[in-house]
Amino acid sequence: MKNVFMHRRWHIAVTVAVLTLGAAGSGNAQASPATSGCPTAEIFATDNPAIITDPADPRLKARLTRFDHEVRRIIHAHGAKPGTSTLLDGVFWSADLKQATYERSREFDVNRVGRDGLRHIAGVIAKRYHQESVLTFRCLPRTSPDTDAVEIQAPGVSATRLHDALLADPRARAELGGGSTTLDGQLILVAPIADLPLAQKFTKELGVDWRKAQVRHGDEEFVN
């Protein structure tokens, strides 16, 4: 595995957004309305090709500042408009290693880009930084024929809590693989729509208040 996205095919993913979870089998849980504040697309990537299993590894403290600037230049050079970038702490379960792995990465907002352009940019990033794959997410209406995934963000989750929850839940770590948190404790997971019920169950076990959760719909792709 060369990056966090390689061994997790995050059958689920959760990153923040906007939609009523009741319409996706969430019982009485509610999220905010539709797609306000959603960029055209997002790219999740890192510049680290190594597998990290030690949570105290100094590489997990990196700010990835140069990487941030370089990816923004790549996005701009290929005709899209870079937006904000967010530093992430990822925790993922490796079935091969039988233990959790960790990664520092960034989420990049990308605007003025179509499906093919986004795929091309992600491919350039994957090759330049020797990544097995780079995850992209295009924000789309829930009714779009291209919509196949959700992105959920929920506050109040640390990387440590995410790690402990994965170890305690064999199904979640096997099916969902892992997820990421922002430095201020925002959970981020991206997953196929069919896995939303499992994602909701797992996040509730993490202590997530679904009244504060947000869900985006769109199209996910792992680009290599």
Side-chain angles (χ1 to χ4, degrees), residues 126-140:
K127 289 179 175 62
R128 178 168 300 187
Y129 298 100
H130 309 289
Q131 299 300 302
E132 182 70 19
S133 64
V134 168
L135 174 63
T136 66
F137 184 86
R138 289 190 300 135
C139 291
L140 297 169

Side-chain angles (χ1 to χ4, degrees), residues 9 15 18-19 21 30 51 70 75 87 94 116-117 125 134 144 152 154 156 163 165 179 192 201 213:
R9 182 53 203 170
T15 343
V18 234
L19 194 274
L21 261 245
Q30 298 272 320
I51 297 172
E70 291 172 351
I75 292 170
L87 193 61
S94 170
D116 293 342
I125 295 170
V134 168
S144 169
I152 307 162
H163 167 272
K201 177 179 179 294

Side-chain angles (χ1 to χ4, degrees), residues 14-16 152-157 185-188 208-209 212-214:
V14 193
T15 343
V16 125
I152 307 162
Q153 266 192 17
V157 179
Q186 193 89 338
L187 176 67
I188 299 184
V208 167
D209 181 350
K212 299 178 180 178
Q214 294 180 306

Side-chain angles (χ1 to χ4, degrees), residues 73-86:
R73 285 196 290 269
I74 291 171
I75 292 170
H76 184 268
H78 289 85
K81 182 179 179 180
T84 59
S85 168
T86 304

Side-chain angles (χ1 to χ4, degrees), residues 1-184:
M1 175 193 108
K2 293 187 178 178
N3 75 349
V4 327
F5 304 112
M6 164 185 169
H7 68 337
R8 107 239 221 236
R9 182 53 203 170
W10 239 137
H11 283 272
I12 172 169
V14 193
T15 343
V16 125
V18 234
L19 194 274
T20 301
L21 261 245
S26 60
N28 295 323
Q30 298 272 320
S32 317
T35 53
S36 58
C38 192
T40 303
E42 296 166 308
I43 292 175
F44 298 83
T46 183
D47 65 351
N48 174 42
I51 297 172
I52 300 175
T53 58
D54 180 4
D57 191 300
R59 288 172 291 185
L60 298 175
K61 299 297 183 183
R63 301 290 303 183
L64 302 185
T65 303
R66 186 172 71 176
F67 178 63
D68 179 25
H69 296 326
E70 291 172 351
V71 170
R72 286 171 179 275
R73 285 196 290 269
I74 291 171
I75 292 170
H76 184 268
H78 289 85
K81 182 179 179 180
T84 59
S85 168
T86 304
L87 193 61
L88 302 176
D89 288 320
V91 182
F92 303 94
W93 178 257
S94 170
D96 293 334
L97 298 175
K98 304 299 182 186
Q99 67 181 110
T101 64
Y102 303 86
E103 185 157 89
R104 259 293 163 96
S105 62
R106 278 189 174 273
E107 177 274 321
F108 297 88
D109 287 356
V110 186
N111 291 298
R112 298 180 186 173
V113 68
R115 180 187 61 188
D116 293 342
L118 180 66
R119 181 182 296 145
H120 177 72
I121 292 169
V124 170
I125 295 170
K127 289 179 175 62
R128 178 168 300 187
Y129 298 100
H130 309 289
Q131 299 300 302
E132 182 70 19
S133 64
V134 168
L135 174 63
T136 66
F137 184 86
R138 289 190 300 135
C139 291
L140 297 169
R142 188 170 61 116
T143 55
S144 169
D146 290 333
T147 294
D148 60 10
V150 291
E151 184 187 79
I152 307 162
Q153 266 192 17
V157 179
S158 67
T160 299
R161 180 188 276 179
L162 177 58
H163 167 272
D164 293 346
L166 280 175
L167 293 187
D169 190 331
R171 187 186 176 205
R173 67 181 184 236
E175 306 254 347
L176 307 181
S180 298
T181 62
T182 63
L183 300 192
D184 63 353

